[in-house]
Amino acid sequence: MPENPRNPVPARSLRLGVAGPVGTGKSSLIALLCRELAGSLRIGVVTNDIYTDEDARFLRSAGVLDPERIRAVETGACPHTAIRDDVTANLLAVEDLEADFDPLDLVLVESGGDNLTATFSPALVDAQVFVLDVAGGGDVARKGGPGIARADLLVLNKTDLAPHVGVDVPQMLADARAARGERPVVALSRLDRASVEQLTGWLAGVLAEFRAGRHEARDPGPMAPHSHADGTVHAHEHAHEHDGEHAHALP
Ligand SMILES: Nc1nc2c(ncn2[C@@H]2O[C@H](COP(=O)(O)OP(=O)(O)O)[C@@H](O)[C@H]2O)c(=O)[nH]1
Ligand SMILES: [Mg+2]
């Protein structure tokens, strides 16, 4: 079959980023995907923690994957930088996994959840999931941001908690759809079988497109300018994926 020169058939794994604020259930979602898919796909995982390898340890102890297939990147104080501006450490971790366990079908990369607006660079992942949870409040989907509006998939997680936190899931879904147009949203609970199948069904579709050479990595866009506790201001408005540069303008 002649190859499409713009989208050659990939010789490597599908790299899928999982982003979203701390505690929304990123590690749990990765554990769930491993549990569901490890029988049919060869999977590796890269976690990003600020100072620890806690996510990697959680996933290893969950026993859903050979512990050797779970690697931790320690990102230092600025976790979004490691998935967006200078992805070197993460790319090396992904490529090492791919080399050590060749061939892999899927590498899941968990972001060090720092805030609502961090997204992955398309230089690191082929597709990305953004995870919110209902306990974060029903209005969070409406507030938007590049991940919420333009990640390949938005997950509204822990819907089993909705009655306990007074969140209207259909309304939250409607708000998310309004922010995302045609892009898919899954209302997920690990306790709800049908929702788990929606998630794995979405991933199977992306993987099929990727293997057919039809998938294109899309950039949800940079995070909003923001400040750090030390007074450093980040303005991520320009493209600097590969140049190692950083806009750290001091106020
Ligand atoms: N009730 C409920 N809790 C969940 C669900 N998914 C994850 N959690 C819990 O949410 C908490 C944070 O999950 P974790 O995966 O560590 O979040 P992360 O910081 O985004 O990686 C943990 O206590 C999980 O057990 C879910 O579907 N339902
Ligand atoms: Mg985690």
Side-chain angles (χ1 to χ4, degrees):
M1 200 178 79
E3 281 187 2
N4 173 347
R6 271 190 69 231
N7 284 316
V9 175
R12 58 163 176 79
S13 69
L14 173 72
R15 299 166 181 174
L16 178 67
V18 180
V22 178
T24 53
K26 298 179 296 299
S27 298
S28 306
L29 183 143
I30 287 172
L32 179 70
L33 285 175
C34 292
R35 206 171 288 124
E36 293 291 319
L37 303 172
S40 54
L41 297 178
R42 294 157 294 200
I43 302 177
V45 174
V46 173
T47 65
N48 278 256
D49 271 322
I50 302 180
Y51 298 121
T52 69
D53 61 350
E54 206 161 307
D55 283 328
R57 281 192 285 120
F58 163 78
L59 286 166
R60 287 186 195 119
S61 70
V64 288
L65 210 59
D66 168 7
E68 290 283 297
R69 290 174 179 248
I70 302 167
R71 304 271 164 91
V73 170
E74 287 183 28
T75 60
C78 219
H80 55 268
T81 300
I83 61 162
R84 176 99 207 158
D85 302 319
D86 180 0
V87 300
T88 315
N90 270 288
L91 259 187
L92 283 174
V94 170
E95 287 170 0
D96 278 353
L97 269 175
E98 287 175 345
D100 291 351
F101 296 98
D102 182 48
L104 285 179
D105 300 300
L106 175 67
V107 175
L108 298 159
V109 185
E110 178 179 348
S111 77
D114 55 336
N115 70 35
L116 206 51
T117 63
T119 55
F120 284 90
S121 164
L124 175 60
V125 296
D126 302 301
Q128 52 192 298
V129 179
F130 199 86
V131 185
L132 293 177
D133 74 0
V134 300
D139 57 351
V140 68
R142 200 168 53 241
K143 291 180 178 165
I148 293 172
R150 290 182 296 278
D152 298 85
L153 178 71
L154 177 68
V155 168
L156 304 180
N157 201 14
K158 313 188 202 173
T159 56
D160 56 290
L161 295 181
H164 307 290
V165 293
V167 165
D168 179 350
V169 174
Q171 182 60 51
M172 200 175 172
L173 262 174
D175 290 342
R177 293 208 167 101
R180 291 174 59 76
E182 296 297 302
R183 296 181 188 87
V185 187
V186 170
L188 180 73
S189 164
R190 63 184 172 204
L191 307 174
D192 172 8
R193 194 64 222 157
S195 73
V196 172
E197 279 165 19
Q198 272 183 40
L199 174 68
T200 54
W202 171 82
L203 180 52
V206 174
L207 191 57
E209 289 294 293
F210 178 74
R211 285 173 168 165
R214 287 193 297 263
H215 178 82
E216 244 174 85
R218 270 178 251 121
D219 185 358
M223 66 193 304
H226 58 285
S227 55
H228 287 254
D230 64 0
T232 317
V233 174
H234 271 196
H236 293 246
E237 76 283 353
H238 61 102
H240 52 255
E241 252 87 43
H242 298 293
D243 60 10
E245 240 176 66
H246 229 107
H248 280 241
L250 288 170

